[in-house]
Amino acid sequence: MEGMTMTMTRTRSCFCSSLPLPPPTTTTRMRMKSGTSHFRSRSVAVAVSVPPTPTTGRVDRSGRFSSPRSARELALLISYAACLQGTDPLLLFHRRLNAKRVPGFVFDKQLLLRYDHMSFASQPIHVATHHEQQHLIHQFDTDSAFEADVLSAPLKLVYTNFVLRFTREILEAVATGWNQRIHLINQVIPQRWKNEAPSKIIELCILHIAMAEITSKGTKHQIVINEAVDLAKRFCDGQAPRIINGCLRTFVKQQSEESRAEEISESQAIRLA
């Protein structure tokens, strides 16, 4: 088919299906950017079967996720679900944590070795034949299915106690300062995000989580910003990673300036006393 162009976007339904959520509407979408591919019949054929990257160093001896990144990803999952359901993220976390297992449920921990926390967006993939196109679609569907199995499994089978504790601490910070951060976020996000807030739930959740960790956990802002950008690369569309990076750097700058102003004010008060 001369000149045919097809664009396919892989929806990250696996991320949403790990909790009992209402189906995302057209305004609450989560795209899997790595699935955005262009198929042109005149393009040079390329290999499309790329094995998932193993999570070396991120799974402990018990075979469970043990990295802080997995805690931030879980916190994002819970926060996103809480926003869709209009419920408290901590309540949702504990409900998920204490959910009873379905009788006969067996979880294959080998799936955790295939799961890739660093599966970011890639350049459009060009293939030359319809067969390659179908192979790539099948690969995306298979990857989504096994990620759904991982993200919907009982939390204690997937995450170490460290990760679950860190996730709880992040969610506590997120829930405690949610209303105060809304004002701060509105100061740093672009106007179009304010106009399209219902379609930016995942992006706004990333900002809430990052700001909460910076202010409440005291994690170095460079680490938090890098992690937030990586989450945006993994779960968001378009310019979200760049915008989130800029928003958080502006937030850190404002916090630093306010802190210096308070120190100067306190110093002057002491001298006058």
Side-chain angles (χ1 to χ4, degrees):
M1 298 176 63
E2 184 69 20
M4 180 190 73
T5 300
M6 175 182 176
T7 302
M8 181 185 71
T9 302
R10 177 184 175 189
T11 303
R12 188 169 286 280
S13 56
C14 55
F15 191 80
C16 306
S17 63
S18 56
L19 288 172
L21 303 178
T25 64
T26 54
T27 56
T28 57
R29 84 286 176 272
M30 294 186 68
R31 304 287 186 187
M32 192 165 191
K33 284 190 61 184
S34 58
T36 302
S37 306
H38 297 274
F39 301 98
R40 293 186 174 88
S41 59
R42 293 179 296 178
S43 301
V44 176
V46 297
V48 296
S49 180
V50 181
T53 304
T55 53
T56 306
R58 297 181 176 87
V59 177
D60 73 350
R61 293 181 179 179
S62 69
R64 295 174 294 171
F65 290 147
S66 58
S67 68
R69 169 160 295 189
S70 60
R72 296 182 180 100
E73 182 179 289
L74 178 58
L76 178 59
L77 165 68
I78 300 293
S79 298
Y80 176 73
C83 285
L84 291 184
Q85 293 187 1
T87 189
D88 180 85
L90 270 176
L91 177 64
L92 199 57
F93 172 74
H94 287 292
R95 187 186 304 163
R96 175 83 187 278
L97 185 65
N98 299 317
K100 293 182 180 179
R101 298 184 193 177
V102 176
F105 174 81
V106 177
F107 178 67
D108 181 7
K109 285 194 174 182
Q110 291 299 312
L111 293 175
L112 302 184
L113 297 177
R114 293 179 55 201
Y115 191 89
D116 184 11
H117 293 287
M118 302 288 286
S119 177
F120 299 154
S122 60
Q123 294 298 318
I125 300 173
H126 303 280
V127 296
T129 67
H130 180 73
H131 175 74
E132 290 174 344
Q133 169 188 324
Q134 293 303 312
H135 177 77
L136 190 59
I137 293 173
H138 175 72
Q139 178 182 310
F140 290 157
D141 289 342
T142 301
D143 290 346
S144 290
F146 97 75
E147 286 187 6
D149 288 340
V150 170
L151 295 175
S152 62
L155 298 185
K156 293 178 182 178
L157 295 180
V158 177
Y159 304 97
T160 63
N161 289 334
F162 161 75
V163 170
L164 295 175
R165 183 172 60 252
F166 189 26
T167 301
R168 184 184 297 109
E169 291 172 355
I170 292 175
L171 291 174
E172 286 176 350
V174 167
T176 300
W178 185 274
N179 291 333
Q180 295 89 332
R181 279 192 306 277
I182 289 176
H183 174 68
L184 297 175
I185 289 174
N186 281 334
Q187 289 180 335
V188 297
I189 61 175
Q191 183 61 45
R192 66 178 181 277
W193 279 26
K194 298 178 186 178
N195 298 337
E196 304 171 3
S199 68
K200 299 298 179 185
I201 293 177
I202 189 65
E203 290 88 343
L204 297 175
C205 283
I206 291 175
L207 288 174
H208 274 285
I209 289 171
M211 290 180 178
E213 186 174 353
I214 290 172
T215 55
S216 299
K217 294 290 296 174
T219 310
K220 291 182 178 180
H221 70 265
Q222 295 93 336
I223 295 175
V224 176
I225 292 175
N226 287 340
E227 291 289 292
V229 169
D230 284 348
L231 285 174
K233 289 178 181 178
R234 183 155 167 74
F235 296 115
C236 301
D237 284 335
Q239 299 299 314
R242 181 182 61 80
I243 293 174
I244 284 175
N245 178 67
C247 288
L248 290 176
R249 292 191 181 280
T250 299
F251 167 73
V252 169
K253 182 179 179 181
Q254 290 178 349
Q255 294 292 104
S256 178
E257 291 174 350
E258 290 177 3
S259 178
R260 285 198 298 269
E262 290 178 0
E263 291 176 358
I264 293 173
S265 179
E266 290 177 0
S267 178
Q268 291 174 344
I270 292 174
R271 288 199 301 269
L272 294 174

